[in-house]
Amino acid sequence: MTSAHKVPLSAGVGLRLPHLSEVVASRPPVAWFEIHPENFLANPHACELLDNVARDYPISVHTVGVSIGSATGIDMDHLKRVRRLIDRIGPILVSGHMAWSTHAGEYLNDLLPLPYDDETLGILVSHIDTVQNGLGRPYLIENPSSYVGFGHSTMTEVEFLSELVARTGCRLLCDVSNVHLSAHNMGFDAFRYIDGLPADAIGELHLGGFTAEEDDGRPGATVLVDTHGAAIADSAWNLYAYALRRFGPKPTLIEWDNDIPSLAVLLAEANHANEIAANVLTPETRRAG
Ligand SMILES: [Fe+2]
């Protein structure tokens, strides 16, 4: 099913179960919502409420259990369940992480990193093809939050993502906060990373809160942890403005999954994203989006 809604080039918020009834009842002023399908697959009541929301708002579906990086392959039963939900609500976009989180049928709680080499590239190309065929639509791949790298990687993350786009026709979800915190943790330049991404492939942006913690391996240094449990930092807003200038206006998600605040707080963060877009985008870059 294709969406009855146009893709909004403005900010939306994550729709998590604690806010579902409030959204149905109050119809808050926000351009769109993003959901994790895994929250709804075994919850018929939540699905009914979601149907109600999807009639009036564009919905983006962000999978957290598809695990395109698992060497053991895609869980086709899970993919079929996601497909049924997609066919039911007609989302504007469907996305997932470049990571692995399942092994031998076990679902792990973390999004685990991948080496960027030809062998991994071949596996991910095959898995993205499987996912796009199974879902019957393009899939957006999200850049990870990184804390460690692999010594045998032969490509940068930007080169690896660009190859995935070229070989599969997938699109990219650029998590701007992930770029910022990975740049801090891994020691690369976040702005050059944004410069290197294939701009035509960017279909969505994410902004989430992170937490600074002491780095056990480097006394006196901090590691930024992708907690999705805090307001968006000024440094991430700054990189977001830069990303908008490069990519043009994009649907931008406020991600907040832990210590979830009131809906009003989420809407204020979305409004701030829209204010930044209004300040940095020219009439020409608006059309380019
Ligand atoms: Fe994200």
Short mmCIF file of all heavy atoms in Angstrom, two decimals, residues 166-232:
data_model
loop_
_atom_site.label_atom_id
_atom_site.label_comp_id
_atom_site.label_asym_id
_atom_site.label_seq_id
_atom_site.Cartn_x
_atom_site.Cartn_y
_atom_site.Cartn_z
N ALA A 166 24.74 2.73 -4.11
CA ALA A 166 25.01 2.48 -5.53
C ALA A 166 24.60 1.07 -5.93
O ALA A 166 24.10 0.85 -7.03
CB ALA A 166 26.49 2.71 -5.81
N ARG A 167 24.79 0.10 -5.06
CA ARG A 167 24.56 -1.30 -5.45
C ARG A 167 23.13 -1.79 -5.23
O ARG A 167 22.73 -2.80 -5.82
CB ARG A 167 25.52 -2.21 -4.67
CG ARG A 167 26.98 -1.97 -5.01
CD ARG A 167 27.83 -3.12 -4.56
NE ARG A 167 29.24 -2.77 -4.58
CZ ARG A 167 30.21 -3.63 -4.34
NH1 ARG A 167 29.92 -4.89 -4.05
NH2 ARG A 167 31.47 -3.24 -4.36
N THR A 168 22.39 -1.13 -4.32
CA THR A 168 21.05 -1.65 -4.00
C THR A 168 19.93 -0.68 -4.35
O THR A 168 18.76 -1.08 -4.36
CB THR A 168 20.92 -1.95 -2.49
OG1 THR A 168 20.94 -0.71 -1.77
CG2 THR A 168 22.03 -2.86 -1.99
N GLY A 169 20.26 0.60 -4.57
CA GLY A 169 19.19 1.58 -4.76
C GLY A 169 18.50 1.95 -3.46
O GLY A 169 17.46 2.62 -3.48
N CYS A 170 19.07 1.51 -2.33
CA CYS A 170 18.49 1.92 -1.05
C CYS A 170 18.73 3.41 -0.87
O CYS A 170 19.51 4.03 -1.60
CB CYS A 170 19.08 1.14 0.12
SG CYS A 170 20.78 1.60 0.56
N ARG A 171 18.06 3.99 0.11
CA ARG A 171 18.29 5.39 0.45
C ARG A 171 18.90 5.46 1.85
O ARG A 171 19.08 4.42 2.50
CB ARG A 171 16.98 6.17 0.33
CG ARG A 171 16.41 6.06 -1.09
CD ARG A 171 15.12 6.83 -1.24
NE ARG A 171 15.39 8.25 -1.29
CZ ARG A 171 14.53 9.19 -0.87
NH1 ARG A 171 13.38 8.83 -0.34
NH2 ARG A 171 14.82 10.46 -0.96
N LEU A 172 19.20 6.66 2.30
CA LEU A 172 19.88 6.80 3.59
C LEU A 172 19.05 7.63 4.55
O LEU A 172 18.40 8.60 4.18
CB LEU A 172 21.25 7.46 3.41
CG LEU A 172 22.25 6.70 2.56
CD1 LEU A 172 23.55 7.50 2.44
CD2 LEU A 172 22.54 5.31 3.14
N LEU A 173 19.09 7.21 5.80
CA LEU A 173 18.57 8.00 6.91
C LEU A 173 19.81 8.49 7.65
O LEU A 173 20.56 7.69 8.22
CB LEU A 173 17.71 7.10 7.83
CG LEU A 173 16.90 7.77 8.93
CD1 LEU A 173 15.98 6.74 9.59
CD2 LEU A 173 17.71 8.48 9.97
N CYS A 174 20.04 9.79 7.61
CA CYS A 174 21.23 10.34 8.28
C CYS A 174 20.85 10.76 9.70
O CYS A 174 20.11 11.74 9.89
CB CYS A 174 21.78 11.53 7.50
SG CYS A 174 23.18 12.30 8.34
N ASP A 175 21.31 9.99 10.69
CA ASP A 175 21.11 10.38 12.09
C ASP A 175 22.22 11.37 12.44
O ASP A 175 23.38 10.99 12.60
CB ASP A 175 21.15 9.16 13.01
CG ASP A 175 20.72 9.53 14.43
OD1 ASP A 175 21.23 10.56 14.92
OD2 ASP A 175 19.91 8.81 15.02
N VAL A 176 21.83 12.65 12.49
CA VAL A 176 22.81 13.73 12.69
C VAL A 176 23.46 13.60 14.07
O VAL A 176 24.67 13.83 14.22
CB VAL A 176 22.10 15.09 12.51
CG1 VAL A 176 23.03 16.24 12.87
CG2 VAL A 176 21.59 15.23 11.08
N SER A 177 22.70 13.21 15.06
CA SER A 177 23.29 13.04 16.40
C SER A 177 24.29 11.89 16.40
O SER A 177 25.33 11.97 17.07
CB SER A 177 22.18 12.77 17.43
OG SER A 177 21.35 13.90 17.57
N ASN A 178 23.99 10.82 15.66
CA ASN A 178 24.95 9.71 15.56
C ASN A 178 26.25 10.17 14.90
O ASN A 178 27.34 9.76 15.30
CB ASN A 178 24.37 8.55 14.75
CG ASN A 178 23.35 7.75 15.54
OD1 ASN A 178 23.09 8.03 16.71
ND2 ASN A 178 22.74 6.76 14.89
N VAL A 179 26.13 11.01 13.86
CA VAL A 179 27.35 11.53 13.22
C VAL A 179 28.15 12.32 14.25
O VAL A 179 29.37 12.13 14.37
CB VAL A 179 27.00 12.44 12.01
CG1 VAL A 179 28.27 13.08 11.44
CG2 VAL A 179 26.28 11.64 10.93
N HIS A 180 27.48 13.18 15.01
CA HIS A 180 28.19 14.00 15.99
C HIS A 180 28.87 13.14 17.06
O HIS A 180 30.05 13.31 17.36
CB HIS A 180 27.22 14.98 16.65
CG HIS A 180 27.85 15.71 17.79
ND1 HIS A 180 28.76 16.72 17.61
CD2 HIS A 180 27.74 15.53 19.14
CE1 HIS A 180 29.18 17.14 18.78
NE2 HIS A 180 28.58 16.45 19.73
N LEU A 181 28.12 12.20 17.63
CA LEU A 181 28.72 11.44 18.74
C LEU A 181 29.76 10.44 18.24
O LEU A 181 30.77 10.21 18.92
CB LEU A 181 27.64 10.79 19.61
CG LEU A 181 26.84 9.60 19.13
CD1 LEU A 181 27.55 8.29 19.45
CD2 LEU A 181 25.48 9.59 19.84
N SER A 182 29.56 9.86 17.06
CA SER A 182 30.57 8.96 16.50
C SER A 182 31.85 9.73 16.18
O SER A 182 32.96 9.24 16.41
CB SER A 182 30.06 8.28 15.23
OG SER A 182 28.95 7.46 15.52
N ALA A 183 31.70 10.96 15.66
CA ALA A 183 32.88 11.78 15.36
C ALA A 183 33.66 12.06 16.64
O ALA A 183 34.89 11.99 16.66
CB ALA A 183 32.44 13.09 14.69
N HIS A 184 32.94 12.35 17.71
CA HIS A 184 33.61 12.58 19.01
C HIS A 184 34.32 11.32 19.48
O HIS A 184 35.48 11.35 19.87
CB HIS A 184 32.56 13.02 20.04
CG HIS A 184 33.11 13.11 21.43
ND1 HIS A 184 33.63 14.27 21.96
CD2 HIS A 184 33.24 12.17 22.40
CE1 HIS A 184 34.06 14.04 23.19
NE2 HIS A 184 33.82 12.77 23.49
N ASN A 185 33.59 10.19 19.42
CA ASN A 185 34.14 8.93 19.98
C ASN A 185 35.26 8.36 19.12
O ASN A 185 36.20 7.75 19.64
CB ASN A 185 33.03 7.88 20.09
CG ASN A 185 31.96 8.28 21.09
OD1 ASN A 185 32.19 9.12 21.96
ND2 ASN A 185 30.78 7.67 20.98
N MET A 186 35.14 8.51 17.79
CA MET A 186 36.08 7.84 16.88
C MET A 186 37.15 8.79 16.34
O MET A 186 38.07 8.36 15.64
CB MET A 186 35.31 7.24 15.69
CG MET A 186 34.17 6.30 16.08
SD MET A 186 34.74 4.82 16.93
CE MET A 186 35.52 3.97 15.57
N GLY A 187 36.97 10.12 16.58
CA GLY A 187 38.00 11.07 16.19
C GLY A 187 37.98 11.43 14.71
O GLY A 187 39.04 11.58 14.10
N PHE A 188 36.80 11.56 14.12
CA PHE A 188 36.75 12.08 12.75
C PHE A 188 35.99 13.40 12.74
O PHE A 188 35.40 13.82 13.74
CB PHE A 188 36.17 11.05 11.77
CG PHE A 188 34.74 10.63 11.99
CD1 PHE A 188 33.67 11.43 11.58
CD2 PHE A 188 34.44 9.41 12.60
CE1 PHE A 188 32.36 11.03 11.78
CE2 PHE A 188 33.14 9.00 12.79
CZ PHE A 188 32.10 9.81 12.39
N ASP A 189 35.98 14.07 11.57
CA ASP A 189 35.35 15.39 11.43
C ASP A 189 33.89 15.20 10.99
O ASP A 189 33.63 14.72 9.88
CB ASP A 189 36.13 16.21 10.40
CG ASP A 189 35.61 17.63 10.27
OD1 ASP A 189 34.37 17.82 10.28
OD2 ASP A 189 36.43 18.55 10.16
N ALA A 190 32.95 15.60 11.85
CA ALA A 190 31.53 15.39 11.56
C ALA A 190 31.08 16.16 10.32
O ALA A 190 30.24 15.68 9.55
CB ALA A 190 30.70 15.81 12.77
N PHE A 191 31.64 17.34 10.11
CA PHE A 191 31.21 18.16 8.98
C PHE A 191 31.68 17.55 7.66
O PHE A 191 30.95 17.54 6.67
CB PHE A 191 31.72 19.60 9.15
CG PHE A 191 31.13 20.26 10.36
CD1 PHE A 191 31.80 20.23 11.58
CD2 PHE A 191 29.90 20.89 10.31
CE1 PHE A 191 31.26 20.82 12.71
CE2 PHE A 191 29.34 21.47 11.43
CZ PHE A 191 30.03 21.44 12.64
N ARG A 192 32.91 17.01 7.66
CA ARG A 192 33.42 16.35 6.44
C ARG A 192 32.59 15.08 6.16
O ARG A 192 32.38 14.70 5.00
CB ARG A 192 34.90 15.98 6.59
CG ARG A 192 35.85 17.15 6.77
CD ARG A 192 36.00 18.05 5.56
NE ARG A 192 34.89 19.01 5.38
CZ ARG A 192 34.72 20.12 6.12
NH1 ARG A 192 35.57 20.42 7.06
NH2 ARG A 192 33.70 20.91 5.89
N TYR A 193 32.15 14.41 7.20
CA TYR A 193 31.29 13.21 7.04
C TYR A 193 30.00 13.61 6.31
O TYR A 193 29.60 12.96 5.33
CB TYR A 193 30.98 12.64 8.42
CG TYR A 193 30.18 11.35 8.45
CD1 TYR A 193 30.77 10.14 8.79
CD2 TYR A 193 28.81 11.33 8.18
CE1 TYR A 193 30.04 8.96 8.84
CE2 TYR A 193 28.07 10.16 8.21
CZ TYR A 193 28.70 8.98 8.55
OH TYR A 193 27.95 7.81 8.60
N ILE A 194 29.36 14.69 6.77
CA ILE A 194 28.13 15.17 6.11
C ILE A 194 28.44 15.53 4.66
O ILE A 194 27.67 15.21 3.74
CB ILE A 194 27.57 16.39 6.87
CG1 ILE A 194 27.14 16.00 8.30
CG2 ILE A 194 26.42 17.04 6.09
CD1 ILE A 194 25.90 15.18 8.41
N ASP A 195 29.59 16.20 4.45
CA ASP A 195 29.97 16.58 3.09
C ASP A 195 30.10 15.37 2.16
O ASP A 195 29.82 15.45 0.96
CB ASP A 195 31.34 17.29 3.09
CG ASP A 195 31.28 18.69 3.68
OD1 ASP A 195 30.16 19.23 3.80
OD2 ASP A 195 32.35 19.22 4.03
N GLY A 196 30.54 14.23 2.71
CA GLY A 196 30.85 13.06 1.88
C GLY A 196 29.65 12.20 1.53
O GLY A 196 29.71 11.39 0.60
N LEU A 197 28.55 12.33 2.26
CA LEU A 197 27.38 11.47 1.99
C LEU A 197 26.75 11.81 0.65
O LEU A 197 26.75 12.99 0.25
CB LEU A 197 26.33 11.64 3.11
CG LEU A 197 26.68 11.03 4.46
CD1 LEU A 197 25.62 11.44 5.50
CD2 LEU A 197 26.78 9.51 4.38
N PRO A 198 26.19 10.83 -0.05
CA PRO A 198 25.49 11.13 -1.32
C PRO A 198 24.17 11.85 -1.05
O PRO A 198 23.19 11.24 -0.63
CB PRO A 198 25.28 9.74 -1.93
CG PRO A 198 25.32 8.79 -0.77
CD PRO A 198 26.18 9.39 0.29
N ALA A 199 24.17 13.16 -1.28
CA ALA A 199 23.03 14.00 -0.87
C ALA A 199 21.71 13.55 -1.50
O ALA A 199 20.66 13.59 -0.86
CB ALA A 199 23.31 15.46 -1.20
N ASP A 200 21.78 13.08 -2.76
CA ASP A 200 20.55 12.69 -3.44
C ASP A 200 19.87 11.50 -2.77
O ASP A 200 18.67 11.26 -2.99
CB ASP A 200 20.84 12.31 -4.89
CG ASP A 200 21.23 13.53 -5.72
OD1 ASP A 200 21.05 14.66 -5.22
OD2 ASP A 200 21.73 13.33 -6.84
N ALA A 201 20.63 10.73 -2.00
CA ALA A 201 20.08 9.52 -1.38
C ALA A 201 19.48 9.78 0.00
O ALA A 201 18.84 8.88 0.57
CB ALA A 201 21.17 8.45 -1.25
N ILE A 202 19.64 10.97 0.53
CA ILE A 202 19.17 11.23 1.90
C ILE A 202 17.65 11.41 1.90
O ILE A 202 17.12 12.33 1.27
CB ILE A 202 19.83 12.49 2.50
CG1 ILE A 202 21.36 12.39 2.46
CG2 ILE A 202 19.33 12.73 3.93
CD1 ILE A 202 21.96 11.32 3.31
N GLY A 203 16.95 10.51 2.60
CA GLY A 203 15.49 10.58 2.63
C GLY A 203 14.93 11.06 3.95
O GLY A 203 13.75 11.43 4.02
N GLU A 204 15.75 11.03 5.00
CA GLU A 204 15.24 11.40 6.33
C GLU A 204 16.43 11.73 7.22
O GLU A 204 17.54 11.22 7.01
CB GLU A 204 14.44 10.22 6.92
CG GLU A 204 13.83 10.52 8.28
CD GLU A 204 13.06 9.31 8.87
OE1 GLU A 204 12.62 8.42 8.11
OE2 GLU A 204 12.93 9.27 10.11
N LEU A 205 16.19 12.58 8.22
CA LEU A 205 17.20 12.89 9.24
C LEU A 205 16.66 12.49 10.61
O LEU A 205 15.45 12.53 10.84
CB LEU A 205 17.55 14.38 9.24
CG LEU A 205 18.03 14.97 7.90
CD1 LEU A 205 18.24 16.47 8.04
CD2 LEU A 205 19.31 14.29 7.42
N HIS A 206 17.56 12.11 11.50
CA HIS A 206 17.22 11.87 12.91
C HIS A 206 18.00 12.81 13.80
O HIS A 206 19.16 13.16 13.50
CB HIS A 206 17.60 10.43 13.33
CG HIS A 206 16.55 9.41 13.09
ND1 HIS A 206 16.69 8.09 13.48
CD2 HIS A 206 15.32 9.49 12.51
CE1 HIS A 206 15.61 7.41 13.14
NE2 HIS A 206 14.76 8.23 12.54
N LEU A 207 17.39 13.17 14.91
CA LEU A 207 18.06 13.93 15.98
C LEU A 207 17.66 13.29 17.30
O LEU A 207 16.46 13.18 17.59
CB LEU A 207 17.60 15.38 15.98
CG LEU A 207 18.17 16.31 14.91
CD1 LEU A 207 17.33 17.58 14.84
CD2 LEU A 207 19.63 16.64 15.22
N GLY A 208 18.65 12.87 18.09
CA GLY A 208 18.34 12.25 19.38
C GLY A 208 19.28 12.76 20.44
O GLY A 208 20.36 13.28 20.15
N GLY A 209 18.89 12.59 21.69
CA GLY A 209 19.73 13.01 22.81
C GLY A 209 20.78 11.97 23.14
O GLY A 209 20.56 10.77 22.93
N PHE A 210 21.93 12.42 23.61
CA PHE A 210 23.00 11.49 24.02
C PHE A 210 23.54 11.93 25.37
O PHE A 210 23.20 13.02 25.87
CB PHE A 210 24.11 11.42 22.97
CG PHE A 210 24.63 12.76 22.52
CD1 PHE A 210 25.53 13.47 23.28
CD2 PHE A 210 24.18 13.31 21.33
CE1 PHE A 210 26.00 14.71 22.87
CE2 PHE A 210 24.64 14.56 20.90
CZ PHE A 210 25.55 15.25 21.68
N THR A 211 24.33 11.06 25.97
CA THR A 211 24.83 11.29 27.32
C THR A 211 26.34 11.15 27.34
O THR A 211 26.88 10.19 26.76
CB THR A 211 24.22 10.24 28.28
OG1 THR A 211 22.79 10.25 28.10
CG2 THR A 211 24.53 10.56 29.73
N ALA A 212 27.03 12.10 27.99
CA ALA A 212 28.50 12.02 28.12
C ALA A 212 28.85 11.17 29.34
O ALA A 212 28.33 11.40 30.43
CB ALA A 212 29.08 13.42 28.25
N GLU A 213 29.69 10.18 29.13
CA GLU A 213 30.14 9.32 30.23
C GLU A 213 31.66 9.26 30.23
O GLU A 213 32.30 9.50 29.20
CB GLU A 213 29.56 7.90 30.07
CG GLU A 213 28.04 7.90 30.13
CD GLU A 213 27.46 6.48 30.04
OE1 GLU A 213 28.24 5.51 30.01
OE2 GLU A 213 26.22 6.39 29.96
N GLU A 214 32.23 8.93 31.38
CA GLU A 214 33.69 8.77 31.45
C GLU A 214 34.12 7.61 30.58
O GLU A 214 33.47 6.56 30.56
CB GLU A 214 34.11 8.47 32.89
CG GLU A 214 34.62 9.69 33.63
CD GLU A 214 35.06 9.36 35.02
OE1 GLU A 214 35.85 8.41 35.18
OE2 GLU A 214 34.58 10.03 35.93
N ASP A 215 35.21 7.81 29.85
CA ASP A 215 35.74 6.75 28.99
C ASP A 215 36.72 5.91 29.81
O ASP A 215 37.80 6.38 30.17
CB ASP A 215 36.44 7.38 27.78
CG ASP A 215 36.88 6.34 26.75
OD1 ASP A 215 36.97 5.15 27.12
OD2 ASP A 215 37.13 6.73 25.60
N ASP A 216 36.32 4.65 30.11
CA ASP A 216 37.16 3.80 30.96
C ASP A 216 38.55 3.58 30.36
O ASP A 216 39.52 3.41 31.07
CB ASP A 216 36.49 2.43 31.17
CG ASP A 216 35.23 2.56 32.02
OD1 ASP A 216 35.12 3.58 32.73
OD2 ASP A 216 34.36 1.67 31.94
N GLY A 217 38.61 3.58 29.02
CA GLY A 217 39.89 3.29 28.38
C GLY A 217 40.81 4.51 28.26
O GLY A 217 41.99 4.35 27.93
N ARG A 218 40.26 5.71 28.47
CA ARG A 218 41.07 6.93 28.30
C ARG A 218 40.80 7.86 29.47
O ARG A 218 39.82 8.62 29.46
CB ARG A 218 40.72 7.63 26.99
CG ARG A 218 41.06 6.84 25.73
CD ARG A 218 40.68 7.61 24.48
NE ARG A 218 39.24 7.91 24.46
CZ ARG A 218 38.68 8.88 23.77
NH1 ARG A 218 39.42 9.68 23.03
NH2 ARG A 218 37.37 9.09 23.81
N PRO A 219 41.64 7.81 30.52
CA PRO A 219 41.40 8.62 31.72
C PRO A 219 41.25 10.10 31.37
O PRO A 219 42.05 10.64 30.59
CB PRO A 219 42.66 8.37 32.57
CG PRO A 219 43.19 7.07 32.08
CD PRO A 219 42.84 6.96 30.64
N GLY A 220 40.19 10.73 31.90
CA GLY A 220 39.96 12.16 31.66
C GLY A 220 39.15 12.44 30.40
O GLY A 220 38.69 13.56 30.20
N ALA A 221 38.95 11.43 29.53
CA ALA A 221 38.20 11.63 28.29
C ALA A 221 36.74 11.19 28.50
O ALA A 221 36.43 10.44 29.41
CB ALA A 221 38.83 10.85 27.15
N THR A 222 35.88 11.69 27.63
CA THR A 222 34.47 11.29 27.69
C THR A 222 34.11 10.50 26.44
O THR A 222 34.71 10.68 25.37
CB THR A 222 33.53 12.51 27.76
OG1 THR A 222 33.77 13.34 26.63
CG2 THR A 222 33.71 13.28 29.05
N VAL A 223 33.12 9.63 26.60
CA VAL A 223 32.52 8.95 25.46
C VAL A 223 31.06 9.39 25.41
O VAL A 223 30.40 9.52 26.45
CB VAL A 223 32.67 7.41 25.59
CG1 VAL A 223 32.00 6.89 26.84
CG2 VAL A 223 32.13 6.70 24.37
N LEU A 224 30.55 9.70 24.23
CA LEU A 224 29.15 10.10 24.07
C LEU A 224 28.33 8.86 23.75
O LEU A 224 28.64 8.14 22.79
CB LEU A 224 29.01 11.16 22.97
CG LEU A 224 29.77 12.47 23.20
CD1 LEU A 224 29.50 13.46 22.06
CD2 LEU A 224 29.39 13.10 24.55
N VAL A 225 27.30 8.62 24.56
CA VAL A 225 26.50 7.40 24.44
C VAL A 225 25.11 7.77 23.90
O VAL A 225 24.46 8.70 24.40
CB VAL A 225 26.37 6.69 25.81
CG1 VAL A 225 25.54 5.42 25.68
CG2 VAL A 225 27.76 6.39 26.37
N ASP A 226 24.68 7.03 22.90
CA ASP A 226 23.43 7.30 22.16
C ASP A 226 22.24 6.80 22.99
O ASP A 226 21.64 5.78 22.67
CB ASP A 226 23.51 6.57 20.82
CG ASP A 226 22.37 6.90 19.90
OD1 ASP A 226 21.76 7.98 20.05
OD2 ASP A 226 22.09 6.07 19.01
N THR A 227 21.88 7.56 24.02
CA THR A 227 20.87 7.08 24.97
C THR A 227 19.43 7.37 24.54
O THR A 227 18.50 6.75 25.05
CB THR A 227 21.09 7.73 26.34
OG1 THR A 227 21.21 9.15 26.16
CG2 THR A 227 22.34 7.19 27.02
N HIS A 228 19.23 8.33 23.64
CA HIS A 228 17.86 8.75 23.29
C HIS A 228 17.07 9.04 24.55
O HIS A 228 15.87 8.77 24.62
CB HIS A 228 17.11 7.67 22.48
CG HIS A 228 17.67 7.44 21.13
ND1 HIS A 228 17.09 6.59 20.22
CD2 HIS A 228 18.76 7.93 20.50
CE1 HIS A 228 17.80 6.56 19.11
NE2 HIS A 228 18.83 7.36 19.26
N GLY A 229 17.75 9.64 25.54
CA GLY A 229 17.08 9.87 26.82
C GLY A 229 17.27 11.28 27.33
O GLY A 229 17.20 11.52 28.53
N ALA A 230 17.54 12.23 26.43
CA ALA A 230 17.80 13.61 26.85
C ALA A 230 17.43 14.56 25.72
O ALA A 230 17.17 14.12 24.59
CB ALA A 230 19.29 13.76 27.18
N ALA A 231 17.39 15.85 26.05
CA ALA A 231 17.14 16.87 25.03
C ALA A 231 18.32 16.88 24.05
O ALA A 231 19.43 16.43 24.37
CB ALA A 231 16.98 18.24 25.68
N ILE A 232 18.06 17.39 22.87
CA ILE A 232 19.11 17.44 21.84
C ILE A 232 20.12 18.54 22.19
O ILE A 232 19.74 19.66 22.54
CB ILE A 232 18.46 17.68 20.46
CG1 ILE A 232 17.62 16.44 20.11
CG2 ILE A 232 19.50 17.94 19.38
CD1 ILE A 232 16.48 16.69 19.20
#
